[in-house]
Amino acid sequence: MRLAQTLVKAAVILAIIAATLGGAVALGSTLFDPPPRDAADFAARIEAGSRHAPPPEARTAAQRRYVLAVGELCAERNEQVRDLEREVSAADEVGKARGWRRIEAEHAEDFEALKAPKRFRSTAERMTTLDLAMLDLTDEALEARRVGDRELFEAKLAAAELLDARYDEAASALGVPVCAAA
C-alpha cells in the first residue's frame, strides 16, 4: 500500500514538472529567464515564440469563391505533378521538365482566366508573372539541353525553382497554401 502511494506521489510530481517545463516552452521562455517586467514585455515574449498563422481576415463571398477556385486549380495541378513523378523516372530530367512545363502552362492559363477580386489583384498578378517567368526559364533550360549545354540546363532549372519559392510565398499571402504544396 505504501509503495503504491509513493508511486502515485512520484507520478504527480513528475506530471507537475512536465507541465511546468511545457508551459515555459509554450511561452517561448525558459525557467531561467527573469520574469517579464510588464504586460508589454510578456506579450512581446509570447509573440516572439509564436509560430501561429495570422488570424483570418474577413472576406467577402466573392473573395472566398476566388480563393476556393484557386485552391481547386492548384489541387488539380498538384495531382497532375504527382502523376508525372510516378510515370516519369527521376533519371529522365528532360521528360520531367517537359511534363512539368505542360502542366504549369495549363495551370497558368486557367489561373490567369480567373477574375481576381480587387483585394487579391496585385498578388494574383505577381503569381501570374512568376508562372510565366518559370515557364520561360523551363523553355530556356530545355533549349540548353537540346543543344547539349547541361550546365546551363541545370542553372535554368535551379533559377525556376527559386522563382517557385517566391510563387509559394505569394500563394501563402493569397491564403491558398495548397498552391505552395506542389
Side-chain angles (χ1 to χ4, degrees), residues 100-101 104-112 124-140 160 163 167:
W100 179 88
R101 197 226 178 273
E104 194 63 27
E106 184 180 307
H107 171 77
E109 185 178 314
D110 292 344
F111 179 79
E112 194 171 12
E125 288 170 359
R126 177 166 167 68
M127 289 172 71
T128 298
T129 300
L130 289 166
D131 261 337
L132 297 176
M134 285 187 290
L135 290 170
D136 289 344
L137 283 169
T138 304
D139 289 341
E140 292 170 12
L163 288 183
Y167 182 91

Side-chain angles (χ1 to χ4, degrees), residues 69-136:
V70 170
E72 287 177 22
L73 281 178
C74 290
E76 182 179 312
R77 179 202 56 198
N78 294 352
E79 185 61 35
Q80 291 174 345
V81 169
R82 280 190 292 275
D83 289 346
L84 173 70
E85 289 171 351
R86 281 191 298 269
E87 294 167 5
V88 179
S89 77
D92 186 5
E93 295 171 324
V94 173
K96 279 200 180 272
R98 283 186 182 140
W100 179 88
R101 197 226 178 273
R102 177 188 49 77
I103 292 166
E104 194 63 27
E106 184 180 307
H107 171 77
E109 185 178 314
D110 292 344
F111 179 79
E112 194 171 12
L114 292 176
K115 175 130 174 71
K118 184 177 180 182
R119 176 179 176 187
F120 298 134
R121 229 170 258 146
S122 66
T123 304
E125 288 170 359
R126 177 166 167 68
M127 289 172 71
T128 298
T129 300
L130 289 166
D131 261 337
L132 297 176
M134 285 187 290
L135 290 170
D136 289 344

